[in-house]
Amino acid sequence: MALSLGELATRHGCELVGDPSVRVSGVATLSNAGEGQLSFFVNAAYRNDLRKTRAAAVILQPADMDDCPVPALLAADPYLAYARIAAELYPPSGGSAGVHPTAAVADAAIIGDDVAVSANAVVDADARLGNGVFVGPGAVIGPRCHVGDGTRILANVTLVEDVVIGDRCIIHPGAVIGSDGFGNALSENGWVKVPQVGRLRNGNDVELGANATIDRGAIDDTVIEDGVRIDNLVHIAHNVRVGAHTAIAAQTGIAGSTDIGQRCMFGGQAGIVGHISICDDVIVSGKTVVSKDVTEPGFITGVFPGEPDRLWKRKVAHFRRLGDLVKRVSALEKAGGKGGK
């Protein structure tokens, strides 16, 4: 697909500097872009690349125009404008509407208009697919699962059962949605499985990454609200609620019955213990463990960056002596207090 800069400026609210008839059909980095390719500039570290770029056009802020040797689309937030334009240049691919001969669709399933069900996919009894849904190769839509209009279920995704997926969602390959939570009661003879009878409810415009796993509720539902972004290899346990427009980076783990507010952000490998609440607009740094309620917006960080082994071992030795040091300081404070009377 090739679009003119004039079209893009009008549709995306940008100010155009340059020839409106110039057409772009793809995107590339500043250093690699050439004829017909669009790039963007947001990081001052790449200013030299901007000055030398051969892109057909660059999306940037007005203050950076003097360093741009090619036509430009001026935007207050260049990266956001780039995201929207790139989505237009690269529309999602998918099979044409219809059911592949190797797919298995139950007679009791309800299939909307313009639905594509790919090779070896399974749509089970009482499942419902809305209009324009795409089901990728090998995907499984389990019993009583509902998938909203325009949602894309990619290859080898499993919606286990009783999963509700909203409109315009994307679920990437290998994700397992609605499996049993980790519910077990210990008896004198070993573990007894606790039946997981809740559902998984997923809102509109949600994106779930490859191999992400989200458990169904134990009794009440697990809930992922509108606009949430979940990266690859994230695990969300039963009865968690994730507030609207929260973003969770790869390898984060969230334990059961945690309540997360809106517009939160979690860095990679963050760990959240169960049965706590995190308010709106909290940012948790990568590898940070959150072990108690967070009641005020802001940054939460608890990470020891890597450093030379010798220095780390010295600090660990100091940490191990902290208890003795506290006792000595406490004793000195008591002794000083008595001496002053």
Side-chain angles (χ1 to χ4, degrees):
M1 177 183 293
L3 298 170
S4 73
L5 296 183
E7 291 176 284
L8 293 175
T10 299
R11 282 207 287 270
H12 297 281
C14 299
E15 179 184 349
L16 173 61
V17 178
D19 183 355
S21 67
V22 171
R23 299 181 74 80
V24 294
S25 58
V27 301
T29 61
L30 289 166
S31 59
N32 292 327
E35 184 178 353
Q37 292 181 309
L38 180 72
S39 192
F40 69 97
F41 175 77
V42 293
N43 188 332
Y46 296 98
R47 191 170 297 279
N48 196 46
D49 290 340
L50 172 62
R51 291 170 178 148
K52 297 179 180 179
T53 191
R54 296 183 179 181
V58 177
I59 308 170
L60 40 64
Q61 290 184 324
D64 297 310
M65 184 60 219
D66 289 345
D67 290 317
C68 183
V70 298
L73 293 167
L74 305 183
D77 187 337
Y79 190 54
L80 178 59
Y82 165 78
R84 289 172 172 161
I85 292 173
E88 191 170 356
L89 291 172
Y90 295 90
S93 59
S96 56
V99 177
H100 192 276
T102 63
V105 178
D107 291 339
I110 300 173
I111 309 297
D113 296 332
D114 300 318
V115 170
V117 181
S118 303
N120 299 313
V122 175
V123 182
D124 219 322
D126 299 317
R128 178 177 298 174
L129 306 183
N131 297 331
V133 167
F134 172 77
V135 179
V140 176
I141 312 298
R144 301 174 301 282
C145 291
H146 292 188
V147 179
D149 294 347
T151 284
R152 295 172 53 76
I153 308 293
L154 301 184
N156 298 315
V157 167
T158 300
L159 307 185
V160 178
E161 59 181 339
D162 298 306
V163 173
V164 178
I165 303 292
D167 298 340
R168 300 174 302 279
C169 296
I170 303 173
I171 305 182
H172 287 277
V176 178
I177 312 301
S179 56
D180 279 0
F182 194 56
N184 297 278
L186 184 60
S187 75
E188 58 183 11
N189 296 318
W191 294 106
V192 176
K193 180 177 177 61
V194 177
Q196 306 290 287
V197 299
R199 298 181 301 167
L200 182 287
R201 291 190 288 115
N202 194 91
N204 300 324
D205 302 298
V206 170
E207 187 164 356
L208 306 179
N211 295 320
T213 58
I214 306 177
D215 294 342
R216 67 187 298 174
I219 299 176
D220 294 329
D221 296 341
T222 301
V223 178
I224 311 296
E225 294 185 352
D226 291 350
V228 167
R229 295 293 187 270
I230 294 177
D231 198 1
N232 304 336
L233 297 168
V234 169
H235 176 62
I236 297 177
H238 54 192
N239 297 106
V240 170
R241 184 187 70 86
V242 179
H245 307 294
T246 285
I248 303 173
Q251 297 185 359
T252 291
I254 301 175
S257 299
T258 296
D259 193 317
I260 295 171
Q262 298 182 6
R263 299 175 302 280
C264 293
M265 291 187 283
F266 295 81
Q269 296 188 341
I272 316 301
V273 305
H275 303 276
I276 65 170
S277 295
I278 297 175
C279 68
D280 297 343
D281 301 305
V282 171
I283 299 174
V284 178
S285 298
K287 293 184 179 290
T288 295
V289 176
V290 181
S291 60
K292 59 183 180 181
D293 290 350
V294 179
T295 58
E296 296 181 0
F299 285 84
I300 304 295
T301 301
V303 183
F304 288 102
E307 58 185 346
D309 184 69
R310 178 176 54 84
L311 295 176
W312 174 247
K313 287 179 177 176
R314 184 184 301 170
K315 290 180 179 179
V316 170
H318 292 164
F319 295 154
R320 288 174 174 169
R321 293 198 292 269
L322 281 176
D324 292 337
L325 179 60
V326 169
K327 291 178 182 178
R328 290 171 56 190
V329 170
S330 180
L332 289 170
E333 288 176 341
K334 290 179 180 178
K338 290 179 180 178
K341 289 183 178 178

